[in-house]
Amino acid sequence: MNQDLSIVTLVLNASLVVQLVIAGLMLTSLASWTVIFTKLFGLRTLRRNNDDFEREFWSGKNLNELYNAAGTKPRTAPMERLFASGMREFMKLRERRLEAGSLLDGARRAMRASLQRELDMIEGNVGFLASVGSVSPYVGLFGTVWGIMHAFVGLASVQQVTLATVAPGIAEALVATAIGLFAAIPAVVAYNRFARDIDRIAIQLETFIEEFSNILQRNAGGPAVTQAH
C-alpha cells in the first residue's frame, strides 16, 4: 500500500507535541530571517554613511562647520556622532580654559562612551541569531525523540510490525530535526557574517577616534579648531 509521506502530510499526522515544536521552529526561523534581512541592509547603509562622512571629514572642510551640520541632520552616521560628541566635549572644556591634556582626555572619554553606545545599537538582535543557531537543533531533536517515542508506543498495539508501519512515525519525527537545522544553519552563517562586519566597523570607528584625537591635540593650544589636516 502506497503511503503519502509528503512533508505536509507528515506534519499534519504528527503528534501534538511535535506539531508545536515544528510551529515554534517555523516562527523562530521567520523571526531569524527578518533579523537577517534587517541587519543586512542596516549594516550596508551604516557603512555607506560612515564612508560618506569620512570622505567629507578628510576633504579639508572646517571642523566647526562639520559640527554645526551634524546638529541639523535628522539622521547621522555613527562616525559623525562620535565626531560630534568629541567636538562638543572639547569645546565645552576649552571654554573653561583647561590645559591641553585635559581637553584631549575629556574629548577622548566622550568619544569612547559614544563608541560603546554605537556598538550596543549596532549589535542589537545579533545575539538572537546566536541563540537561534545554538538552540534550534536541540529543540528539533527534542521533537524527534518525542515523535519516535510516540510512534513506538503506537506500535505496541500492532500485531505485525513492518517497515510500512514504522516508516511514517519515524519520518514525521525526523521532520522536527530537519526544521530545526533549517532554522539554525542560516542563523549561524548570518551571525558569523555580521560579527565580522561589526568588528570591521568597530575598528574603523576606533581608528577615527585616534585620528581625530591627534587633530584635537594639534589644535588644543590654538585659538580655534579648523581643518582635519
Side-chain angles (χ1 to χ4, degrees):
M1 181 182 294
N2 294 328
Q3 299 188 47
D4 185 4
L5 296 181
S6 65
I7 298 296
V8 174
T9 301
L10 292 175
V11 172
L12 293 177
N13 292 331
S15 64
L16 178 61
V17 173
V18 176
Q19 289 179 340
L20 291 176
V21 168
I22 292 175
L25 289 172
M26 292 299 293
L27 291 175
T28 301
S29 179
L30 179 61
S32 172
W33 279 106
T34 301
V35 171
I36 289 172
F37 283 112
T38 301
K39 187 62 64 177
L40 182 66
F41 292 115
L43 290 178
R44 183 178 301 173
T45 302
L46 186 150
R47 289 194 301 268
R48 184 174 63 249
N49 292 340
N50 275 345
D51 292 341
D52 290 342
F53 174 75
E54 192 169 22
R55 281 193 297 270
E56 186 178 13
F57 179 83
W58 292 111
S59 66
K61 190 173 182 179
N62 187 282
L63 296 183
N64 290 311
E65 293 179 4
L66 285 175
Y67 175 69
N68 293 331
T72 60
K73 294 179 181 178
R75 300 182 66 180
T76 55
M79 186 178 292
E80 189 169 4
R81 290 191 287 270
L82 289 183
F83 162 77
S85 64
M87 278 289 292
R88 185 184 306 111
E89 188 67 16
F90 183 83
M91 290 190 295
K92 285 181 180 179
L93 296 177
R94 194 182 187 114
E95 292 175 356
R96 296 166 57 183
R97 301 183 182 279
L98 299 180
E99 60 181 11
S102 299
L103 294 177
L104 185 61
D105 289 343
R108 189 189 295 271
R109 285 195 300 269
M111 287 189 288
R112 286 290 175 185
S114 180
L115 173 64
Q116 190 58 54
R117 289 193 297 271
E118 294 296 335
L119 292 180
D120 288 342
M121 289 190 294
I122 293 172
E123 293 172 353
N125 293 327
V126 174
F128 171 75
L129 296 178
S131 299
V132 171
S134 61
V135 174
S136 293
Y138 295 103
V139 175
L141 183 60
F142 166 75
T144 295
V145 172
W146 186 277
I148 292 175
M149 291 171 53
H150 184 266
F152 277 108
V153 169
L155 293 175
S157 59
V158 178
Q159 296 295 330
Q160 184 177 4
V161 178
T162 63
L163 182 61
T165 57
V166 174
I170 302 299
E172 70 187 30
L174 291 174
V175 170
T177 296
I179 295 179
L181 294 174
F182 174 78
I185 292 174
V188 171
V189 173
Y191 172 80
N192 292 332
R193 162 71 183 276
F194 295 150
R196 290 193 301 269
D197 290 344
I198 292 172
D199 284 342
R200 284 195 290 266
I201 292 172
I203 292 173
Q204 182 187 29
L205 295 178
E206 289 176 352
T207 301
F208 174 78
I209 289 176
E210 296 303 319
E211 292 173 338
F212 185 44
S213 296
N214 291 335
I215 294 172
L216 293 178
Q217 185 176 23
R218 291 197 298 269
N219 288 273
V225 181
T226 55
Q227 293 180 334
H229 289 308

